[in-house]
Amino acid sequence: MNLKFKDVGFTYHTLTGETKALENLNFEVDEGEFVAVIGPSGCGKSTILSLAAGLIAPTEGQIERGGGQFGYMLQTDALFPWRTVEQNIYLPLEVKKTNTAEMRKKALALAEKYGLKDFLKKSPSQLSGGMRQRVALIRTLAAQPQTLLLDEPFSALDYQTRLAVCDDVQAIIKEENKTALLVTHDISEAIALSDKVIVLSCRPARVVGEHRITFGDGSPKKRRECGEFAAMFELLRKELGI
């Protein structure tokens, strides 16, 4: 077990009252697993990532973490335009005060391994949207996290780029043997990328379905081509009530 939510509830407090975002939420993410969480808009998916990262504490219940650091990948690539690709990749090392020669060497090795060698001295504005997301992922991996928290990281991309980047990101995460928790509103994306899909109800969110994805060879592109894909999509769509 790498991450476990046990009877977790969370309530937002504002000047005008309380909003219960999560209630009796239970699920697990095993080490090396890629888990996707889907649910209606506004149901609290991003709140789950904040809780997993320890940025906020649950109002009720417990969250167990199996050890290791967490890395966060946002909806936008959030690359600093005044920094080169190389300097952007080093950013988490500077923030965590681990900016040693050894850590920089490891970060550069990752960048070169995944096709960024010729782009290190370029600025983000010189890169395509897909390449920028690859830089964002390598930047996240540079701090050597065990678990990646992915907050709709492909939502800003056009459809064709999105398909290519999904394959790209999943392959890198699997190759590096990382655990991943993805929140997304895209049912197809959840099925294509993950080992397990968790379906949430509307707010206050609780788990209404959990499905292990076993068809295909594991790559998003191949999985989308499987006959079982459409049936799983329909099942998840019905559980979401759409």
Side-chain angles (χ1 to χ4, degrees), residues 72-73 77 79 85-86 88-93 103-117 120 130-145 148 150 168-169 171-173 176 178:
Y72 221 118
M73 193 169 169
D77 56 65
L79 300 177
V85 166
E86 182 178 4
N88 268 286
I89 289 171
Y90 290 155
L91 184 61
L93 306 182
M103 290 295 285
R104 288 197 301 272
K105 183 178 179 181
K106 288 179 179 179
L108 282 183
L110 271 175
E112 292 180 6
K113 180 179 180 181
Y114 295 113
L116 296 177
K117 183 178 181 180
L120 291 172
M131 190 62 75
R132 288 170 65 105
Q133 281 302 88
R134 187 185 297 196
V135 173
L137 177 59
I138 300 306
R139 179 185 58 190
T140 304
L141 291 172
Q144 305 288 307
L148 299 178
L150 310 173
D168 196 20
V169 167
I172 293 172
I173 289 172
E176 295 302 311
K178 301 298 182 183

Side-chain angles (χ1 to χ4, degrees), residues 114 165-177 193 220:
Y114 295 113
V165 173
C166 277
D167 274 47
D168 196 20
V169 167
Q170 195 233 38
I172 293 172
I173 289 172
K174 289 292 186 183
E175 175 71 19
E176 295 302 311
N177 196 31
L193 282 166

